[in-house]
Amino acid sequence: MRGDRGMVTAEAAVVLPALVVVVCVAVAAVAVATAQLRCVDAAREGARAAARGDSVSASRSIAAQAAPRSARVSVSFAGDRVRVSVTASVRPLGRFLPPVTIRARAVGVPEPGTAP
């Protein structure tokens, strides 16, 4: 069986790049999912703050604290509802992949006796 020598090394050399790609894709997916969850939480926190009567700037600040670093937060009132929107651009693997834009929205009803 002298012809089989080095076979494991050759197979590892073929499989290793594919394994690295799979791990990078998994890391990128986890980073995007984490950013999505942070955007959803930030929108929810901002809507809750606005619904309990906090000012628009205070609600925006609360949402911005929970959001990813470069997120944009908007708070608006439409009729009897408050809407908070959080948008973030995430680069899961740095400069190696294009940015992924993530959006989350939350709607709340102001508590009775609070003015928008």
Side-chain angles (χ1 to χ4, degrees):
M1 302 294 169
R2 292 184 149 217
D4 290 343
R5 293 188 97 185
M7 213 44 183
V8 172
T9 304
E11 290 170 359
V14 170
V15 171
L16 192 58
L19 183 61
V20 168
V21 169
V22 168
V23 168
C24 287
V25 168
V27 167
V30 167
V32 170
T34 301
Q36 176 67 36
L37 290 173
R38 288 187 66 194
C39 285
V40 168
D41 288 343
R44 195 176 309 149
E45 289 292 325
R48 185 178 301 127
R52 71 175 176 242
D54 291 359
S55 68
V56 171
S57 62
S59 300
R60 188 178 296 124
S61 175
I62 289 170
Q65 288 175 1
R69 191 172 295 159
S70 63
R72 293 177 304 279
V73 178
S74 68
V75 178
S76 63
F77 289 88
D80 64 340
R81 304 270 191 252
V82 60
R83 297 169 197 256
V84 178
S85 205
V86 178
T87 305
S89 182
V90 178
R91 288 185 169 269
L93 292 178
R95 289 183 240 159
F96 298 113
L97 292 177
V100 177
T101 301
I102 297 172
R103 293 181 182 88
R105 294 183 188 98
V107 177
V109 179
E111 292 180 7
T114 59

